[in-house]
Amino acid sequence: MTGSRKGWDDRLFDIVNYLFLTVVLLATLYPFLNVLAISLNESTDTVRGGITIFPREFTFANYQAIFEYDNLVTGFMNSTLRTVIGTVLGVFSSAMVAFTLSRGDFQGRKMFSTVLVLTLYFSGGLIPGYMLMRDLHLVDSFWVYVLPGMVNAFNIIIVRSFMDGLPFALQESAKMDGANDFAIFWRIILPLCTPVLATIALFIAVGQWNSWFDTYLYNSSNPDLTTLQFELMKILQNTTVGSTDANAFRSTQGQESTAAAVSPESIKMAISMVTIIPILIVYPFLQRFFVQGMTLGAVKS
Amino acid sequence: METVEKKAYSKAGRSAKRRRPFWQTMKQQKYLYAMSVPFVLWVLVFNYLPLWGWTMAFQDFKPARSFWEQEWVGLEHFITLFQDERFYLVLRNTLAMSIMGLLIGFVVPIIFAIFLNEVRVQSFKRTVQTVSYLPHFVSWVVVAGIVTKMLSVDGGVVNELLMTTGLISEPVQFMTKGEWFWVIVTLSDLWKEMGWNSIIFLAAMAGIDPQLYEAAKVDGASRLRQIWHITLPGIRPTILVVLILSIGHLITIGFEKQFLLGNPTVVDYAEVLDLYALNYGIGLGRFSYGTAIGIFNSLVSIILLFLANGIFKRFANQSVM
């Protein structure tokens, strides 16, 4: 019985398998490379079509053009700000609540857990939510981006299941030395939770960076509060029906090809890249954490 | 023994004895309370208080009036809703896209995970995993842009591929064809979430005892037989839990994809319950009507969740609640 001896069906299976996974790999990567190539290609040349994964006439002009666009710069600032503030608040509050819920001796544990977990199963809905934000004076305000979602049950469950795995003896010895519960949390538990906190930080940060609907719903009339995704959404919505708009665009290009330097197509692709790049930068570092975090969270919930 | 205990916990004694430790412990745990109560209150405000807004569905809600001045209309908004033809069209779209999403978006990640699990070249496996998780982190706004680009008639890769293989003779305007919309939404979702949704199944597969595979190999079982008799039964509990949760979320499919991929030409296929609520409730200022749609949505999800849970409890001894 040698492990290397394979039947024909096993060999066929391997061929089909590698073929299938290679197709998945290409189908996932190609669109990103295509967007990247177009964003780096000279705009009028792009309209000729035929760009695949390499730019034909390399240029940074599209990127320059988007940073001359005031709304986009504001949007970039706001998106960054909400990502940083939202992540700090979210991680801190999740960690703190998770710590109290991981304490078997805590009296409020059962009731508070129930209150939190139930939020996973229902929501008040769009309009009552909107009314609440209005009543709390969060409409037309930056804080609507970070406050409503700050305490998130899913993140708390993930952190808590990690904390449940830490030995309780650590806390007991600190207690002997006279440390209070907050000190135990801050000095002993928090540093040990770095992997799981990195996981939820990634979840929260990506959620913050990618959201556009809250801007659309609450702050669309105030350009000072715009976000990158919302600006991109507006540009995309104006040219959703690709063909007709591209054709219309092509005809205007013909008439005044010197005036319009950069086409909406190229702008779209360049902004898309600007929103993807920050994620690409942090992603490789955090991958092992989030896989672990996802698995823990999924098993628990 | 019993009587002694009963005596010790006589009525007055019981309440006194229990209450004092409670308050004492509370005092002892003041830091724990301070660290949790503010956030629990936070959740009560942002997650539970909106439920109070459900009362709007039974009123002729006018934002300028206080709660006590609102006019109560009973089930009038629900009756209007059920008499609106548009509602049934929207319900059809919602159900169609959720069922397609459930079938494809649930089955394909399992198949993908099984295939990945069979890869022996670790570097290839890791590369595929890393790449396949990536689209999950990209916003729907960008994905919608990418999908529109890939499906466009001038230079979209899908049309080009179909043209070169000779399957079509001229480019198809996918984004303006209503009958394609459900397929586009389902496949975009699959593209975005397939890798991510496979994580949990891969984790479950990693937990299967390797000795089972060894034994099967000794018995001369082929790879497909091993998958059928070891891998699939091994991840069965995970599959069921994920299925129940997906069924619970069947009708709350969200509206981001439909909002971003839709356009006026396909609106009859793209409008889902949430968008319908958004258009009426906030777009037209009919807050009460919009809330009624939201309540209908929530009730159906809860019923589906309990149904799925009940069915699986009975037939598979599996439950999530």
Side-chain angles (χ1 to χ4, degrees):
Chain A
M1 276 294 141
T2 49
S4 59
R5 222 186 90 236
K6 285 180 179 176
W8 64 270
D9 49 348
D10 281 358
R11 216 160 287 166
L12 183 71
F13 179 87
D14 269 336
I15 295 170
V16 173
N17 190 1
Y18 282 91
L19 214 62
F20 168 73
L21 292 178
T22 310
V23 170
V24 169
L25 195 67
L26 294 179
T28 313
L29 274 182
Y30 178 80
F32 289 115
L33 295 174
N34 187 229
V35 170
L36 180 65
I38 293 174
S39 76
L40 289 170
N41 195 56
E42 209 279 314
S43 172
T44 42
D45 178 65
T46 303
V47 182
R48 277 172 47 215
I51 305 287
T52 51
I53 60 171
F54 298 109
R56 205 161 36 210
E57 287 180 33
F58 186 86
T59 174
F60 279 116
N62 302 323
Y63 289 91
Q64 269 168 358
I66 61 173
F67 281 100
E68 280 162 17
Y69 195 2
D70 278 347
N71 274 356
L72 278 178
V73 179
T74 320
F76 189 85
M77 303 287 280
N78 282 330
S79 288
T80 310
L81 209 58
R82 68 177 289 176
T83 303
V84 173
I85 298 177
T87 307
V88 171
L89 288 178
V91 168
F92 185 74
S93 58
S94 305
M96 206 135 94
V97 178
F99 170 71
T100 65
L101 297 183
S102 74
R103 282 280 297 264
D105 58 328
F106 180 40
Q107 304 185 89
R109 170 180 150 123
K110 201 158 175 150
M111 197 177 98
F112 292 173
S113 299
T114 314
V115 168
L116 286 167
V117 169
L118 278 180
T119 62
L120 293 174
Y121 293 100
F122 72 88
S123 104
L126 217 55
I127 287 140
Y130 179 84
M131 291 310 204
L132 178 71
M133 295 309 145
R134 215 193 43 162
D135 293 342
L136 293 173
H137 300 285
L138 285 172
V139 173
D140 203 13
S141 144
F142 175 81
W143 297 104
V144 77
Y145 296 145
V146 290
L147 298 185
M150 188 179 89
V151 185
N152 176 298
F154 183 73
N155 293 333
I156 293 174
I157 292 171
I158 294 179
V159 180
R160 187 196 146 170
S161 47
F162 184 90
M163 287 175 174
D164 283 343
L166 299 173
F168 191 65
L170 287 171
Q171 298 192 34
E172 272 174 337
S173 60
K175 208 154 213 174
M176 297 287 199
D177 298 341
N180 66 45
D181 286 325
F182 183 76
I184 293 174
F185 163 70
W186 190 251
R187 290 208 300 265
I188 298 169
I189 301 300
L190 212 51
L192 290 172
C193 288
T194 323
V196 75
L197 296 182
T199 308
I200 64 159
L202 177 75
F203 290 167
I204 302 171
V206 169
Q208 285 286 356
W209 182 254
N210 282 345
S211 59
W212 57 277
F213 187 70
D214 41 17
T215 317
Y216 171 79
L217 195 58
Y218 303 117
N219 292 338
S220 56
S221 55
N222 188 345
D224 289 338
L225 294 172
T226 192
T227 51
L228 200 56
Q229 302 284 347
F230 181 61
E231 289 301 320
L232 179 59
M233 187 281 274
K234 281 198 292 188
I235 295 172
L236 287 172
Q237 289 293 299
N238 285 334
T239 52
T240 302
V241 190
S243 59
T244 45
D245 278 276
N247 287 335
F249 175 74
R250 199 175 279 165
S251 59
T252 52
Q253 280 284 301
Q255 286 154 18
E256 35 179 324
S257 56
T258 45
V262 177
S263 73
E265 174 77 17
S266 300
I267 289 280
K268 275 194 295 195
M269 298 305 144
I271 308 176
S272 299
M273 280 322 294
V274 171
T275 71
I276 299 172
I277 287 165
I279 297 171
L280 285 183
I281 294 172
V282 293
Y283 176 77
F285 300 104
L286 294 169
Q287 195 192 347
R288 68 192 171 99
F289 291 139
F290 73 66
V291 171
Q292 204 181 36
M294 255 301 276
T295 315
L296 265 177
V299 170
K300 281 280 169 176
S301 65
Chain B
M1 191 62 192
E2 239 184 334
T3 45
V4 178
E5 254 181 22
K6 261 183 189 159
K7 243 179 218 166
Y9 291 101
S10 68
K11 246 186 179 176
R14 185 192 295 167
S15 57
K17 265 203 172 150
R18 280 208 182 155
R19 194 165 292 163
R20 262 185 62 208
F22 181 86
W23 292 113
Q24 259 173 12
T25 332
M26 192 167 175
K27 215 175 152 195
Q28 261 173 19
Q29 300 184 334
K30 59 181 182 288
Y31 283 98
L32 292 178
Y33 275 101
M35 289 162 73
S36 55
V37 169
F39 300 105
V40 172
L41 289 176
W42 196 273
V43 166
L44 288 177
V45 169
F46 284 104
N47 296 79
Y48 286 83
L49 205 55
L51 290 182
W52 174 249
W54 280 17
T55 53
M56 281 191 290
F58 307 98
Q59 302 167 338
D60 183 21
F61 182 80
K62 296 268 184 331
R65 293 191 210 139
S66 80
F67 178 76
W68 305 110
E69 293 160 356
Q70 301 290 349
E71 189 189 327
W72 292 84
V73 296
L75 294 173
E76 200 188 290
H77 295 295
F78 289 92
I79 294 166
T80 322
L81 179 66
F82 294 132
Q83 281 171 349
D84 184 9
E85 273 175 40
R86 184 102 204 138
F87 168 72
Y88 294 97
L89 186 78
V90 167
L91 188 61
R92 177 202 69 176
N93 295 341
T94 312
L95 288 174
M97 280 183 265
S98 19
I99 291 170
M100 284 167 77
L102 180 69
L103 292 178
I104 307 283
F106 173 72
V107 173
V108 179
I110 297 176
I111 297 172
F112 178 64
I114 289 173
F115 273 128
L116 260 181
N117 198 44
E118 295 294 325
V119 171
R120 295 287 166 262
V121 186
Q122 286 305 310
S123 59
F124 181 71
K125 183 178 173 181
R126 262 202 307 277
T127 312
V128 176
Q129 274 179 292
T130 305
V131 171
S132 71
Y133 300 158
L134 187 60
H136 171 79
F137 294 98
V138 176
S139 72
W140 266 113
V141 177
V142 171
V143 172
I146 290 177
V147 168
T148 313
K149 175 84 195 101
M150 295 301 131
L151 294 176
S152 81
V153 284
D154 30 31
V157 68
V158 174
N159 270 314
E160 302 229 319
L161 274 178
L162 292 173
M163 297 270 278
T164 27
T165 50
L167 284 170
I168 51 170
S169 52
E170 61 182 62
V172 180
Q173 295 213 3
F174 288 103
M175 301 308 287
T176 58
K177 297 246 184 324
E179 62 272 26
W180 276 102
F181 189 78
W182 297 346
V183 178
I184 292 171
V185 164
T186 308
L187 293 183
S188 315
D189 204 17
L190 184 67
W191 182 80
K192 193 175 185 297
E193 305 295 344
M194 179 178 77
W196 185 254
N197 290 340
S198 71
I199 292 180
I200 179 171
F201 298 115
L202 278 169
M205 286 173 196
I208 298 174
D209 186 356
Q211 285 182 347
L212 293 173
Y213 290 105
E214 291 303 322
K217 259 182 226 159
V218 172
D219 291 345
S222 70
R223 297 278 279 284
L224 281 174
R225 291 200 82 83
Q226 290 176 33
I227 290 171
W228 188 254
H229 292 293
I230 301 168
T231 312
L232 278 174
I235 61 170
R236 187 169 167 270
T238 315
I239 292 179
L240 286 173
V241 169
V242 174
L243 185 62
I244 296 170
L245 289 174
S246 317
I247 292 174
H249 289 148
L250 198 60
I251 202 169
T252 47
I253 48 171
F255 52 90
E256 259 193 293
K257 322 181 246 283
Q258 289 80 5
F259 186 107
L260 295 165
L261 287 166
N263 59 66
T265 46
V266 296
V267 70
D268 284 349
Y269 293 87
E271 197 170 21
V272 289
L273 280 168
D274 276 326
L275 281 181
Y276 183 64
L278 182 71
N279 292 340
Y280 273 97
I282 291 170
L284 299 175
R286 290 174 63 180
F287 298 112
S288 294
Y289 191 62
T291 310
I293 302 167
I295 293 179
F296 173 80
N297 212 338
S298 294
L299 287 183
V300 174
S301 330
I302 291 168
I303 292 170
L304 283 174
L305 182 67
F306 276 100
L307 264 180
N309 199 45
I311 291 171
F312 284 104
K313 214 180 215 166
R314 174 166 259 182
F315 295 107
N317 268 326
Q318 194 82 26
S319 161
V320 287
M321 289 182 299

